[in-house]
């Protein structure tokens, strides 16, 4: 069996809160506590849980946007949090992120060309001609047109804006895309379009997804495996069919109870 693309080993993160009294020790909150998993190239892993379960903290640590309190994040065997600045910049070309809000994640003053090509310019130092050529390729991959390059975000619908965000993530030809609630801000019909697009892109380019979501129905549709987080800990893990039909942990059963279509499948 080939080595996994992503390995997360005993990942923990604590945050210090503001002092309650001047001389008191600052209180801490444990956002993640010993989370471990592996993700093979070309696969999709869903991370589910309620608000406050640690999902977005996990996404930030995998992207090396914050340091962990303990544990490791290995991409192709490299510990991202032990790389120097130059090596981390090179590694960042292999992983990109799609954020939740298709309205807030795009700068309203920048054209589509500037937005989509930015990672290519920052991470690869590509010239303008290469930026434009690769931006056209990325837009074509997500079903947008070359004529859209000079438009600005307010000229697009929410679903189209999320396609732009996905194009921006694709332009460096990454191996891993961390998608943090990528469809939760969209209407149900538009959600289906974006999810189908992400699956098509995986089939075409072999992209690996770490898919963060509170929506079990979405994860059931797109992921090969699911991890359930509660209070920063993994309480259950498995294939969606197995996990959602025969949930073992009471917390997973409670999550399923909020999704009638899935809960009907579960043997509780």
């Amino acid at each position: 069996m080939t080595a996994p693309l992503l390995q997360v080993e005993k990942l923990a993160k604590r945050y210090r809160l503001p002092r309650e009294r001047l001389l008191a020790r600052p209180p801490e909150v444990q956002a993640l506590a010993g989370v471990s998993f592996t993700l093979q190239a070309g696969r999709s892993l869903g991370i589910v849980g309620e608000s406050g379960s640690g999902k977005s903290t996990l996404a930030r640590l995998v992207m090396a946007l914050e340091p962990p309190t303990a544990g490791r994040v290995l991409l192709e065997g490299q510990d991202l949090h032990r790389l120097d600045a130059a090596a981390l910049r090179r590694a960042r070309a292999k992983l990109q992120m799609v954020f939740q809000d298709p309205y807030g994640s795009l700068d309203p003053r920048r054209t589509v060309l500037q937005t989509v090509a930015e990672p290519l310019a920052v991470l690869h130092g590509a010239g303008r001609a290469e930026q434009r050529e690769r931006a056209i390729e990325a837009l074509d991959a997500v079903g947008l047109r070359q004529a859209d390059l000079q438009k600005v975000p307010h000229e697009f619908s929410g679903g189209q804006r999320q396609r732009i965000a996905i194009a921006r993530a694709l332009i460096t030809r990454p191996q891993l895309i961390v998608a943090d609630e990528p469809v939760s801000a969209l209407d149900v019909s538009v959600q289906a379009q974006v999810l189908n697009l992400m699956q098509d892109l995986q089939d075409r380019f072999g992209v690996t997804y770490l898919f963060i979501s509170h929506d079990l129905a979405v994860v059931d549709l797109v992921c090969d495996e699911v991890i359930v987080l509660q209070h920063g800990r993994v309480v259950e893990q498995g294939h969606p069919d197995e996990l959602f039909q025969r949930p073992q942990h009471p917390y997973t059963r409670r999550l399923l109870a909020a999704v009638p279509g899935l809960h009907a499948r579960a043997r509780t």
Side-chain angles (χ1 to χ4, degrees):
M1 188 174 182
T2 58
L5 174 67
L6 178 69
Q7 295 172 267
V8 170
E9 299 178 350
K10 299 180 180 179
L11 205 59
K13 181 65 177 180
R14 293 192 299 272
Y15 292 102
R16 285 192 174 184
L17 302 177
R19 296 175 187 268
E20 296 176 353
R21 298 188 304 275
L22 180 61
L23 299 180
R25 182 177 180 179
E28 292 185 340
V29 60
Q30 185 88 33
L32 288 178
V35 172
S36 298
F37 61 84
T38 61
L39 179 55
Q40 296 291 334
R43 306 285 284 175
S44 297
L45 174 64
I47 309 291
V48 300
E50 296 173 312
S51 178
S53 61
K55 304 186 304 296
S56 291
T57 298
L58 176 60
R60 291 193 296 272
L61 266 57
V62 168
M63 289 295 300
L65 299 176
E66 295 182 16
T69 304
R72 302 195 301 169
V73 177
L74 286 80
L75 185 69
E76 292 189 315
Q78 284 189 306
D79 186 345
L80 295 179
H81 293 280
R82 296 183 66 87
L83 299 178
D84 60 31
L88 181 58
R89 180 179 292 245
R90 290 191 295 270
R92 284 195 187 282
K94 301 177 184 178
L95 71 162
Q96 291 292 316
M97 192 164 185
V98 176
F99 295 92
Q100 175 179 357
D101 184 2
Y103 298 92
S105 63
L106 304 180
D107 188 331
R109 300 163 297 181
R110 295 170 69 85
T111 65
V112 170
L113 174 59
Q114 292 171 320
T115 296
V116 172
E118 182 180 22
L120 197 63
V122 171
L123 298 173
H124 291 287
R128 289 186 179 181
E130 182 181 355
Q131 289 180 39
R132 181 179 176 82
E133 180 181 351
R134 294 272 291 273
I136 291 170
E137 291 176 0
L139 286 186
D140 180 68
V142 300
L144 296 175
R145 303 170 301 162
Q146 180 176 340
D148 294 323
L149 284 174
Q150 297 307 320
K151 295 180 180 179
V152 290
H154 77 265
E155 299 180 69
F156 297 92
S157 68
Q160 288 173 321
R161 292 186 194 199
Q162 201 63 305
R163 287 173 182 263
I164 293 169
I166 294 170
R168 177 173 60 187
L170 284 174
I171 198 166
T172 61
R173 297 168 184 164
Q175 294 167 280
L176 173 67
I177 291 180
V178 178
D180 189 1
E181 301 278 8
V183 297
S184 63
L186 304 175
D187 293 337
V188 173
S189 61
V190 180
Q191 285 185 11
Q193 294 173 16
V194 173
L195 293 173
N196 287 336
L197 168 65
M198 294 180 73
Q199 290 178 299
D200 290 343
L201 294 173
Q202 185 173 55
D203 293 339
R204 289 174 61 188
F205 302 114
V207 180
T208 305
Y209 290 122
L210 183 64
F211 204 99
I212 312 291
S213 182
H214 70 280
D215 191 330
L216 275 69
V218 167
V219 169
D220 184 42
L221 179 65
V222 301
C223 293
D224 303 300
E225 191 169 6
V226 181
I227 284 176
V228 181
L229 276 187
Q230 182 186 31
H231 303 315
R233 299 180 184 275
V234 176
V235 297
E236 196 157 0
Q237 180 174 355
H239 188 278
D241 286 343
E242 179 69 22
L243 192 146
F244 294 153
Q245 288 181 27
R246 289 175 286 276
Q248 301 301 307
H249 197 276
Y251 179 68
T252 308
R253 296 193 188 104
R254 193 165 79 241
L255 292 178
L256 285 166
V259 189
L262 287 176
H263 184 57
R265 293 165 43 191
R267 298 177 184 173
T268 55

